[in-house]
């Protein structure tokens, strides 16, 4: 059988990708971030609110994201949009509080995703159970005829486990909720279940977890992924 | 785009000064530009001599210590916690940082860019007043002021700030001026002759420019220009002008806004009309006449209780201002105590004059309780005592009678001034508390050797005595004797320690506040009994055990203990800090409700205030733990 090498497959995909995606992909220069000190990296912490938990069929209602440089979150460096969706599920409204025709200005999914890619560039993505949010974005990209996100990503749920001493882990498979993290790390929980609010809380959690892991201040990116 | 995060920051800032003066739109704009900074414990925010960051900081969570390095040792100047603002002054004066700041615990700070904040602040009168206040009183670095001799510079202690705001600024009408052709040397000579720090260059009676001491330093002394050149080469031009009759606050604002120290007054407020006068920063300072130095002078001049009462009222106003300005509490205590102390001294002198004869022997007037500890901010009742020289038994009664009469005079005078009589009659006018040295010695010996609940309560008040007036050796002898007796009766410390730890836990199981269960103050939190007293009692027993003399105030005691016991340093330092925070809290509550501030209605506190209060409880638990272990109380 004719075999296409992986990178060629990727290149072919990129060739056919829409122009906004190409611009995004170009921002990834062959920088080796593995050994870079954390201070030098830009992290983007993000969260999405969705109509449900099925990445294939549910839709994003809002994206909230905030950038971290060094030990600082610059409030100006945020991205927050509500998305107009035809798909709407009344039963999840109590969770995220976003009504179909809510008080917030809504933009199309296409606009929101394009803006999001521009905002994140090649930054390292961070989220609580980030796999889900990345999958939501990837499906939205797919609907726009574009390949998947290329960014490195870190999950605060996983990072948090690293801060707990082996001895104290009772259940290795336990998933820590954002609420549990906040309680332990002493973070206010106003605006829970608003994408940008959750992103901000997660960003604070990320900084605090990083502080606990990085006692000597010498951590590089690869230490976080180990 | 929505901005939930900015709204969240707005929600926090709006609870604290000076942001609570700002309108929603301005504050939201500021919130959108905030930098949220996370710091691990002991990570620096800024260091002395570092260029300023272009933003000042508000503590969101945690605490930041502000310190200076003295002889390679860090000296803490202040600790800022939730809602406190720091690092502002260098931005306004455009200087490098003079002090260093580091996270005292894991902290989150909000960094607010000055470029955005300042224009909005200057437009808002309340905010700019707040800034001027902190600017004029130099909150960030009281010691630097001490050195420059301006410690007591105060921006306003008028009864109402309105008076000051509308007060016309006084200015020099007889301005020192010169012609543009004059050489710099001649102009400088003119300044020397007239004892002024600036000279206005006039052309056709209109101000062309101004030369100040600073120009002479920056442009002449540095060799940039020679003294033979005409004044026009180094003058600052155009000059900032204002029309006739600016108010003090207007003048001050213009100076602040333009970063200048001189303001020309002209006919129509532009440099194109005739010069009428000159306002300098010095003039502004002088117009705030009601500062502590002036008050102290007034005390010395006062011949009647009524005059002292006036001063006492003004002192109260001063206290309010200081608290509004968020001056460090140790600073406020120092100033207020100095005034209270001299008022008492003056009251005694006035009373002595009323006595028909001179005192029959040497005596000393002692302050007890909170006054003795120099912790009295709000006017509470008087607690005082007299100790007089040992006299032959035959003369004892007449001698005591004389001092009782004197004490009655003094307490009456103090009462007129505004210090209420002590309901428990712990005053020098009570024969029990007006005794000779040997009587006092046996009294203390009895308290120490026979501790009973009553004697513990009394000794708690009497052990905190401090000398106010009269013969110092008498008091020193008394202290020597007390320490001797204590040395032989170490078990007494144990009784005191038990007494200090008897106050129950401060928080219930669910971290809620424990409130009074019955009585007049049902559901109120008793900050004195539950929070201040445990610290005061613990500080007393530990410092008696260490034989610390001449430090009576609780915060000072803990600071000294921290130096003596390296292994408990952190706990003692936090006790000192907690005590100051709690006392400040009580004082603010007292001023707010016009009472002693002792009972706090929890429902009226904001979440931030409750948090602040709760934060002070950990040191109390820690110190009680230390006492329990050290004196084997269990």
């Amino acid at each position: 059988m004719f075999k296409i090498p992986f990178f060629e497959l990727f290149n072919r995909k990129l060739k056919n990708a829409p122009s906004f995606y190409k611009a995004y992909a170009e921002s990834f220069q062959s920088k080796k971030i593995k050994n870079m000190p954390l201070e030098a990296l830009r992290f983007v912490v993000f969260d999405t609110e969705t109509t449900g938990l099925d990445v294939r069929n549910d839709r994003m209602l809002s994206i909230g994201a905030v950038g971290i440089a060094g030990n600082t979150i610059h409030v100006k460096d945020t991205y927050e949009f509500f998305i107009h969706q035809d798909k709407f599920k009344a039963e999840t409204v109590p969770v995220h509080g976003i009504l179909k025709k809510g008080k917030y200005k809504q933009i199309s999914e296409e606009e929101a995703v394009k803006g999001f890619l521009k905002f994140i560039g090649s930054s390292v993505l961070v989220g609580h159970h980030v796999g889900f949010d990345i999958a939501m974005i990837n499906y939205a990209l797919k609907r726009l005829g574009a390949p998947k996100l290329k960014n490195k990503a870190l999950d605060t749920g996983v990072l948090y486990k690293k801060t707990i001493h082996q001895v104290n882990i009772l259940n290795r498979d336990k998933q820590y909720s954002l609420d549990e993290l906040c309680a332990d790390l002493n973070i206010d929980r106003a605006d829970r279940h608003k994408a940008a609010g959750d992103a901000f809380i997660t960003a604070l959690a990320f900084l605090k977890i990083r502080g606990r892991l990085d006692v000597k201040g010498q951590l590089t990116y690869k230490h976080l992924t180990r | 785009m929505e901005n939930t995060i900015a709204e969240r920051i707005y929600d926090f800032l709006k609870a604290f000064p000076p942001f609570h003066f700002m309108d929603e739109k301005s504050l939201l704009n500021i919130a959108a530009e905030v930098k949220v900074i996370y710091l691990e414990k002991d990570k620096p925010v800024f260091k002395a001599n570092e260029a300023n960051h272009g933003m000042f900081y508000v503590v969101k969570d945690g605490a930041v210590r502000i310190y200076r390095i003295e002889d390679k040792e860090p000296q803490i100047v202040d600790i800022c916690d939730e809602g406190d603002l720091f690092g502002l002054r260098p931005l306004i004066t455009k200087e490098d940082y003079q002090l260093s700041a580091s996270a005292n615990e894991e902290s989150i700070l909000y960094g607010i860019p000055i470029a955005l904040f300042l224009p909005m602040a200057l437009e808002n009168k309340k905010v700019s007043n707040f800034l001027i206040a902190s600017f004029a009183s130099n909150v960030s670095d009281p010691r630097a002021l001490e050195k420059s001799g301006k410690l007591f510079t105060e921006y306003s202690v008028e009864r109402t700030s309105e008076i000051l705001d509308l007060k016309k600024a006084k200015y020099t009408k007889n301005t020192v001026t010169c012609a543009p052709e004059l050489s710099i040397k001649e102009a400088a000579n003119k300044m020397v002759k007239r004892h002024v720090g600036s000279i206005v260059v006039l052309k056709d009676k209109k101000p062309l420019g101004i030369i100040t001491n600073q120009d002479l330093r920056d442009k002449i002394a540095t060799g940039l220009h020679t003294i033979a050149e005409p004044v026009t080469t180094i003058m600052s031009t155009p000059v900032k002008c204002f029309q006739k009759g600016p108010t003090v606050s207007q003048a001050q604002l213009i100076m602040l806004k333009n970063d200048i120290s001189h303001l020309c007054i002209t006919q129509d407020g532009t440099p194109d009309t005739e010069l009428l006068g000159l306002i300098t920063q010095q003039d502004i300072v002088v117009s705030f006449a009601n500062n502590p130095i002036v008050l102290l002078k007034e005390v010395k001049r006062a011949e009647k209780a009524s005059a002292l009462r006036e001063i006492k009222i003004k002192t109260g106003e001063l206290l309010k201002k200081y608290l509004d300005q968020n001056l460090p509490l140790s600073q406020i205590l120092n100033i207020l105590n100095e005034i209270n102390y001299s008022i008492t001294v003056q009251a005694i002198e006035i009373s002595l004059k009323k006595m028909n004869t001179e005192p029959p022997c040497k005596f000393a007037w002692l302050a007890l309780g909170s006054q003795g500890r120099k912790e009295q901010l709000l006017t509470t009742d008087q607690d005082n005592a007299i100790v007089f020289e040992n006299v032959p038994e035959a003369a004892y009664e007449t001698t005591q009678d004389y001092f009782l009469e004197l004490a009655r005079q003094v307490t009456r005078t103090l009462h007129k001034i505004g210090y209420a009589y002590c309901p428990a009659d712990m005053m020098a006018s009570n024969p029990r508390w007006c005794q000779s040295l040997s009587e006092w010695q046996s009294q203390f010996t009895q308290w120490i050797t026979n501790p009973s609940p009553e004697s513990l309560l009394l000794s708690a008040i009497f052990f905190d005595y401090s000398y106010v007036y009269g013969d110092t050796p008498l008091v020193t002898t008394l202290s020597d004797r007390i320490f001797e007796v204590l040395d032989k009766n170490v078990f007494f410390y144990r009784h005191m320690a038990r007494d200090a730890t008897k106050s129950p836990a401060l928080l219930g199981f669910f971290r809620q506040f424990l409130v009074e269960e019955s009585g007049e103050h049902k559901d109120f939190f008793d900050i004195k009994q539950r929070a201040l007293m445990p610290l005061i009692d613990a500080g007393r027993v530990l410092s008696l055990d260490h034989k610390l003399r001449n430090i009576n105030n609780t915060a000072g005691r803990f600071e000294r203990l921290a130096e003596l016991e390296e292994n408990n340093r952190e706990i003692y330092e936090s006790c000192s800090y907690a005590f100051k925070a709690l006392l400040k809290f009580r004082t603010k509550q007292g001023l707010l409700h016009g009472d002693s501030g002792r009972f706090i209605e929890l429902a009226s506190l904001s979440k931030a205030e409750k948090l602040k209060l709760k934060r002070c409880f950990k040191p109390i638990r820690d110190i009680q733990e230390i006492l329990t272990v050290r004196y084997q109380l269990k």
Side-chain angles (χ1 to χ4, degrees):
Chain A
M1 204 182 94
F2 185 62
K3 213 171 162 195
I4 311 170
F6 175 73
F7 66 91
E8 211 166 286
L9 182 76
F10 188 78
N11 278 346
R12 195 179 296 176
K13 263 191 174 172
L14 189 59
K15 222 178 193 175
N16 300 329
S19 60
F20 79 89
Y21 190 88
K22 281 180 184 157
Y24 156 75
E26 269 167 27
S27 68
F28 287 81
Q29 280 150 2
S30 57
K31 260 190 285 181
K32 280 263 181 266
I33 69 162
K34 255 165 66 181
N35 294 315
M36 276 169 79
L38 299 178
E39 295 289 311
L41 289 170
R42 177 180 183 251
F43 294 87
V44 169
V45 188
F46 81 113
D47 184 54
T48 59
E49 294 301 327
T50 59
T51 55
L53 296 175
D54 178 351
V55 289
R56 207 176 293 264
N57 294 313
D58 278 310
R59 293 289 186 267
M60 289 188 289
L61 293 169
S62 70
I63 306 179
V66 57
I68 296 180
N71 63 346
T72 305
I73 304 165
H74 197 335
V75 179
K76 220 175 162 185
D77 190 19
T78 51
Y79 184 81
E80 179 175 16
F81 280 105
F82 290 84
I83 302 167
H84 175 80
Q85 297 288 9
D86 291 326
K87 229 179 148 72
F88 185 75
K89 280 207 262 181
E91 67 264 28
T92 56
V93 168
V95 178
H96 49 67
I98 302 171
L99 299 171
K100 193 173 181 185
K101 292 268 177 215
K103 60 173 174 166
Y104 302 108
K105 196 178 154 272
Q106 296 175 337
I107 60 173
S108 70
E109 185 175 273
E110 184 177 349
E111 271 180 282
V113 170
K114 279 181 182 175
F116 180 69
L117 257 56
K118 216 170 170 181
F119 179 77
I120 61 173
S122 63
S123 307
V124 178
L125 296 178
V126 179
H128 197 69
H129 304 152
V130 72
F132 171 78
D133 300 284
I134 288 181
M136 284 308 295
I137 303 270
N138 281 342
Y139 272 101
L141 282 169
K142 196 175 182 184
R143 286 191 284 277
L144 299 171
K148 293 175 175 179
L149 287 174
K150 291 160 61 70
N151 304 64
K152 298 258 187 271
L154 294 170
D155 186 338
T156 42
V158 175
L159 286 177
Y160 175 70
K161 274 193 201 169
K162 290 179 199 283
T163 67
I164 306 172
H165 196 278
Q166 290 289 329
V167 177
N168 296 329
I169 297 181
L170 299 173
N171 176 3
R172 217 162 284 278
D173 298 323
K174 178 171 167 53
Q175 297 279 321
Y176 289 90
S177 72
L178 189 51
D179 285 322
E180 283 171 299
L181 250 67
C182 286
D184 184 44
L185 297 169
N186 201 5
I187 299 170
D188 286 345
R189 273 172 293 175
D191 292 330
R192 268 292 270 132
H193 300 300
K194 219 169 159 186
D198 275 3
F200 185 53
I201 288 166
T202 311
L204 292 174
F206 174 64
L207 284 171
K208 289 194 171 191
I209 293 169
R210 213 173 77 175
R212 289 183 183 196
L213 293 173
D214 192 10
V215 182
K216 290 189 183 136
Q218 295 165 337
L219 237 56
T220 60
Y221 176 76
K222 69 173 180 220
H223 293 101
L224 291 183
T225 52
R226 241 179 223 163
Chain B
M1 185 169 106
E2 304 297 330
N3 204 339
T4 310
I5 299 171
E7 281 167 30
R8 196 147 198 267
I9 287 161
Y10 162 83
D11 281 337
F12 175 79
L13 289 179
K14 75 177 179 198
F16 297 100
F19 307 105
H20 68 298
F21 297 128
M22 303 184 97
D23 61 84
E24 185 179 340
K25 196 166 152 265
S26 307
L27 192 50
L28 267 172
N29 279 336
I30 287 174
E33 297 279 339
V34 160
K35 288 187 176 169
V36 182
I37 299 150
Y38 166 78
L39 290 172
E40 290 146 55
K41 187 174 191 286
D42 298 327
K43 282 272 157 69
V45 187
F46 52 73
K47 291 226 162 85
N49 303 323
E50 195 174 293
N52 77 56
H53 294 174
M55 58 182 174
F56 60 96
Y57 299 93
V58 175
V59 182
K60 163 65 173 65
D61 283 322
V64 169
R65 61 173 178 273
I66 314 284
Y67 62 98
R68 65 169 67 248
I69 304 290
E70 245 168 48
D71 306 325
K72 293 181 183 162
E73 286 287 312
Q75 296 283 336
I76 295 180
V77 175
D78 196 11
I79 290 188
C80 301
D81 61 13
E82 199 168 316
D84 286 344
L85 180 155
F86 66 96
L88 177 60
R89 187 181 157 80
L91 303 179
I92 291 180
T93 54
K94 301 192 176 68
E95 288 164 347
D96 295 342
Y97 290 111
Q98 293 178 5
L99 298 168
S100 307
S102 296
N104 208 37
E105 54 191 82
E106 181 183 57
S107 303
I108 293 172
L109 310 180
Y110 287 165
I112 297 169
I114 189 73
L116 184 73
F117 175 76
L118 198 58
M120 289 186 200
L122 290 176
E123 267 170 37
N124 183 324
K125 208 158 149 231
K126 283 182 178 158
V127 178
S128 52
N129 275 347
F130 179 88
L131 289 188
I132 291 168
S134 44
F135 188 77
S137 55
N138 206 346
V139 179
S140 63
D141 191 1
R143 284 202 213 187
L145 267 178
E146 217 160 5
K147 278 177 193 139
S148 69
K150 290 195 292 186
L151 176 65
F152 297 114
T153 308
E154 166 58 9
Y155 96 107
S156 162
V157 286
E158 298 283 342
R159 291 286 164 77
T160 60
S161 56
E162 296 305 310
I163 299 173
L164 185 74
D165 290 343
L166 300 172
K167 193 169 161 185
K168 292 273 181 285
K170 281 192 189 131
Y171 56 88
T172 324
K173 298 199 173 77
N174 193 4
T175 319
V176 179
T177 62
C178 70
E181 301 79 30
L182 210 67
S183 76
I184 295 164
K185 184 183 172 185
E186 284 168 293
N189 276 330
K190 216 169 173 176
M191 286 165 67
V192 172
K193 209 171 140 199
R194 300 281 297 273
H195 303 290
V196 291
S198 62
I199 189 164
V200 182
V201 181
L202 277 194
K203 195 178 185 185
D204 306 328
K205 290 186 177 172
K206 298 169 198 159
L208 187 65
I210 186 165
I211 296 174
T212 64
N213 282 344
Q214 198 183 341
D215 293 318
L216 296 175
R217 184 192 71 202
D218 293 353
K219 297 168 189 168
I220 304 296
T222 53
L224 229 53
H225 296 273
T226 65
I227 52 171
E229 289 172 52
V231 286
T232 44
T233 55
I234 62 160
M235 69 183 185
S236 309
T237 180
V239 285
K240 199 77 202 162
C241 296
F242 200 82
Q243 69 213 36
K244 264 199 292 192
T247 64
V248 170
S249 56
Q250 269 174 328
Q252 195 163 24
L253 264 188
I254 295 166
M255 288 184 189
L256 197 59
K257 224 175 192 167
N258 297 291
D259 196 18
I260 52 172
S261 53
H262 297 74
L263 185 61
C264 286
I265 305 299
T266 59
Q267 197 67 47
D268 71 349
T270 71
D272 300 324
T273 50
E274 195 181 324
L275 178 78
L276 299 173
L278 182 73
I279 302 183
T280 66
Q281 219 159 33
Q282 187 60 31
D283 295 329
I284 302 280
V285 172
V286 171
S287 52
F288 309 135
N290 256 359
N291 64 43
I293 284 189
V294 176
L295 286 179
L296 282 172
K297 277 188 189 152
E298 280 182 35
V299 170
K300 297 246 162 65
R301 277 197 300 263
E303 283 171 8
K304 282 184 171 168
S306 56
L308 288 172
R309 184 178 173 79
E310 274 296 298
I311 298 163
K312 178 84 197 150
I313 292 168
K314 282 184 194 164
T315 312
E317 300 294 327
L318 195 68
L319 171 63
K320 256 183 236 172
K321 276 275 148 50
Y322 282 154
L323 288 172
D324 284 349
Q325 291 165 19
N326 235 341
L327 276 176
L329 191 83
S330 43
Q331 206 66 26
I332 303 179
L333 278 171
N334 281 343
I335 297 170
L336 272 271
N337 275 306
E338 200 52 47
I339 301 175
N340 279 329
Y341 165 80
S342 52
I343 289 179
T344 314
V345 169
Q346 194 66 16
I348 297 169
E349 299 227 309
I350 291 173
S351 308
L352 273 170
K353 274 182 204 153
K354 284 187 188 159
M355 299 295 286
N356 295 326
T357 55
E358 291 288 304
C361 65
K362 286 180 183 164
F363 76 99
W365 184 273
L366 303 177
L368 310 172
S370 66
Q371 251 179 59
R373 286 192 305 272
K374 304 194 165 77
E375 283 162 5
Q376 198 174 49
L377 285 174
L378 297 164
T379 308
T380 49
D381 32 311
Q382 15 175 324
D383 293 315
N384 44 47
I386 281 180
V387 49
F388 53 84
E389 238 178 338
N390 292 330
V391 290
E393 209 170 316
Y396 194 87
E397 209 163 310
T398 48
T399 314
Q400 193 185 33
D401 282 347
Y402 176 91
F403 287 115
L404 283 172
E405 177 55 28
L406 174 68
R408 272 192 286 277
Q409 288 282 2
V410 177
T411 50
R412 200 177 308 143
T413 312
L414 287 173
H415 181 72
K416 274 190 209 158
I417 295 169
Y419 300 91
Y421 288 123
C422 174
D425 202 17
M426 267 188 236
M427 298 186 291
S429 50
N430 179 342
R432 269 190 87 185
W433 317 129
C434 178
Q435 305 187 82
S436 70
L437 181 60
S438 58
E439 290 293 317
W440 270 116
Q441 285 169 351
S442 51
Q443 174 72 78
F444 270 100
T445 311
Q446 196 217 322
W447 280 334
I448 294 168
T449 49
N450 285 314
S452 68
E454 197 225 357
S455 72
L456 276 171
L457 182 71
L458 287 173
S459 53
I461 295 161
F462 281 90
F463 272 114
D464 290 336
Y465 66 79
S466 74
Y467 164 86
V468 175
Y469 187 89
D471 189 57
T472 359
L474 271 177
V475 185
T476 320
T477 319
L478 180 60
S479 302
D480 288 345
R481 177 74 187 142
I482 292 171
F483 278 119
E484 267 169 42
V485 180
L486 279 174
D487 255 351
K488 288 183 206 126
N489 296 284
V490 276
F491 67 91
F492 181 67
Y493 295 131
R494 211 173 147 205
H495 285 282
M496 280 190 111
R498 191 188 302 280
D499 205 47
T501 52
K502 70 169 192 272
S503 183
L506 301 138
L507 293 177
F509 186 73
F510 296 105
R511 293 204 19 105
Q512 85 280 29
F513 285 88
L514 287 180
V515 292
E516 300 309 300
E517 277 167 4
S518 58
E520 189 193 343
H521 297 288
K522 190 170 181 294
D523 294 334
F524 280 71
F525 178 72
D526 183 347
I527 193 171
K528 183 182 174 189
Q529 188 62 37
R530 289 191 190 267
L532 287 165
M533 285 316 288
L535 286 171
I536 294 171
D537 289 343
R540 180 187 306 113
V541 60
L542 287 168
S543 53
L544 279 176
D545 202 352
H546 274 285
K547 310 226 172 349
L548 298 184
R549 289 192 183 206
N550 304 325
I551 312 174
N552 274 359
N553 73 78
T554 306
R557 278 172 168 168
F558 279 118
E559 273 155 35
R560 189 79 187 90
L561 287 167
E563 288 166 22
L564 291 170
E565 290 180 30
E566 181 57 35
N567 51 338
N568 291 325
R569 198 172 56 101
E570 211 164 313
I571 292 174
Y572 290 148
E573 276 173 358
S574 53
C575 282
S576 166
Y577 172 64
F579 181 78
K580 285 188 270 186
L582 287 164
L583 186 60
K584 198 168 186 174
F585 202 86
R586 176 181 174 183
T587 310
K588 278 187 175 170
Q589 286 286 319
L591 285 173
L592 196 64
H593 303 295
D595 57 18
S596 72
R598 174 172 176 175
F599 294 97
I600 291 171
E601 189 185 358
L602 288 170
S604 71
L605 299 185
S606 71
K607 187 170 176 251
E609 286 173 316
K610 277 186 201 159
L611 270 174
K612 220 168 175 166
L613 205 52
K614 275 189 185 170
R615 202 197 297 277
C616 295
F617 294 166
K618 189 176 179 301
I620 299 178
R621 279 198 303 275
D622 291 346
I623 196 77
Q624 292 189 336
E625 192 83 350
I626 287 188
L627 291 181
T628 310
V629 173
R630 179 163 306 175
Y631 299 104
Q632 298 159 23
L633 299 181
K634 276 206 176 119

